Amino acid sequence: GALDKLKATLVQRLNDYTQLETDSALVQTKLKALLLDLIHNMDVVDQLLAARAGGAADWTWRKQLRYYAPDQARGSGACTLTMVDASFDYTFEYQGNAAKLVH
């Protein structure tokens, strides 16, 4: 199904990203952060597959922290964070990965 295809895409991206070489410390830090996010995404997909999640109302999906892009049609310019029944507008608190977190 769709989750299996997504998993295959994520595995291919992981393979592609781990083959990249760079001498730039900044690019290395960004790549490490991207790899950590990718591995987390793969873990979430694995959880969804293991739970046989059938839709957006499934607990395995609802318990994940999700980010929704601004809805231009409704006039909302804010990114929304959602988990279970809670939703908050993102107000740019995130400062990025600290270098010590991406060894």
Side-chain angles (χ1 to χ4, degrees):
L3 285 175
D4 292 311
K5 289 179 184 177
L6 177 58
K7 175 68 187 253
T9 300
L10 294 174
V11 168
Q12 183 58 51
R13 280 189 191 161
L14 181 64
N15 291 335
D16 292 344
Y17 293 164
T18 54
Q19 299 301 315
L20 295 176
E21 294 183 23
T22 180
D23 293 330
S24 168
L26 177 62
V27 173
Q28 285 178 350
T29 300
K30 288 182 178 188
L31 187 57
K32 288 176 184 178
L34 186 61
L35 287 168
L36 286 173
D37 286 343
L38 183 59
I39 291 167
H40 170 72
N41 293 342
M42 292 170 65
D43 182 54
V44 170
V45 171
D46 286 339
Q47 290 177 37
L48 292 168
L49 287 167
R52 295 187 176 140
D58 194 286
W59 171 249
T60 309
W61 175 246
R62 290 173 38 91
K63 71 179 183 176
Q64 299 298 323
L65 179 61
R66 303 177 310 279
Y67 297 83
Y68 291 99
D71 185 352
Q72 300 301 328
R74 292 188 305 150
S76 171
C79 176
T80 303
L81 286 80
T82 303
M83 180 184 265
V84 187
D85 291 330
S87 290
F88 301 94
D89 286 342
Y90 176 69
T91 55
F92 306 98
E93 301 90 348
Y94 183 68
Q95 299 295 314
N97 287 332
K100 65 184 176 185
L101 294 178
V102 271
H103 287 285

